Amino acid sequence: ISYSLTMNFDGGSCTCGANETCTSTSINYDSSINLCTPTKTGHTFSNWSESCGTREGNTYTQSATENCTLTAIYTPNNYPYVVYHDKMNTDGSTYTRVDADTYESTAAYGSTVNGVVKTYSGFTSPNQTSITIVEDDTNYQHNHITYLHFINPYITYLHEMFLQLLLPVFLWLIY
C-alpha cells in the first residue's frame, strides 16, 4: 500500500543529492528513503519534524498506515550589527563619529533591533531607529544604524558670536 509523504520546507528549499528525496512523494508502507538537507536564507537546518512515520537521522521510514508530512526545522543564524553616533561639527555640514559610543553586537536573522539613542549636551538627539537583521558580513553594509546628532542652533550661534566678536577682543587682550 502506498501513502503520500509531503515535504514542507518551511520557506527553505532542497537540492537533491545522490539517493536523496527532495520533493513530496509516494512511499510504500515499511519503505525507507534518504532525505535531503534543506537550506533557508539566514538559517541553519536543525532537524525534521514528522507527523507520523519514523525517522533516524536523515532516513525516513513509512511506519504508519496514513499519509504523513515532514516539516523542516531551522535555527536562525546570528549576524553582527553596529550602532554609530555622529555629532555635527561647528561648520554645520560635517560630522565626527563618537567612537567611544559605538555599539556592536549580534542578533538573529529576521529579528528587529532598536538602536539606543545617546544624548549629548549641546546636541539634538534623533528619534530611535530600528533595523531588521539580514545576512551580512562584518563590514556592516546592511546591519547598521547611524544616528546623526545635530548641533543645537543656540550653540552654533554662540560659536559664531565668539568668532566674530569675542575672538578679536581676546586676541587684542593677549597682544
Side-chain angles (χ1 to χ4, degrees):
I1 297 176
S2 183
Y3 297 96
S4 174
L5 177 62
T6 302
M7 297 181 77
N8 175 359
F9 298 112
D10 190 26
S13 62
C14 216
T15 303
C16 277
N19 301 316
E20 290 182 336
T21 299
C22 59
T23 59
S24 296
T25 189
S26 293
I27 185 169
N28 291 327
Y29 177 76
D30 212 24
S31 292
S32 296
I33 57 170
N34 292 321
L35 304 170
C36 63
T37 301
T39 58
K40 183 177 179 179
T41 300
H43 294 76
T44 299
F45 175 71
S46 299
N47 215 338
W48 288 102
S49 170
E50 57 274 358
S51 65
C52 59
T54 55
R55 186 187 45 78
E56 187 173 319
N58 271 1
T59 301
Y60 171 81
T61 302
Q62 182 66 34
S63 58
T65 56
E66 59 184 309
N67 295 331
C68 297
T69 299
L70 291 171
T71 303
I73 300 171
Y74 305 93
T75 302
N77 296 332
N78 284 327
Y79 293 97
Y81 71 93
V82 65
V83 178
Y84 298 114
H85 295 273
D86 295 350
K87 291 168 51 177
M88 180 182 277
N89 297 320
T90 55
D91 66 10
S93 62
T94 60
Y95 294 83
T96 299
R97 178 144 301 148
V98 183
D99 290 328
D101 288 336
T102 297
Y103 177 77
E104 297 183 53
S105 190
T106 60
Y109 177 86
S111 66
T112 300
V113 172
N114 295 310
V116 174
V117 180
K118 301 284 185 176
T119 57
Y120 302 101
S121 179
F123 291 85
T124 302
S125 294
N127 293 329
Q128 186 177 47
T129 302
S130 63
I131 57 171
T132 301
I133 300 297
V134 298
E135 279 188 308
D136 204 354
D137 57 22
T138 55
N139 292 327
Y140 307 111
Q141 293 175 10
H142 303 287
N143 295 333
H144 73 275
I145 296 172
T146 301
Y147 287 120
L148 300 179
H149 298 266
F150 297 99
I151 197 164
N152 288 338
Y154 181 70
I155 300 298
T156 303
Y157 172 76
L158 289 178
H159 181 261
E160 288 174 11
M161 294 307 296
F162 175 76
L163 291 177
Q164 292 176 5
L165 300 174
L166 299 178
L167 185 60
V169 171
F170 177 73
L171 292 174
W172 178 76
L173 287 174
I174 61 171
Y175 287 112

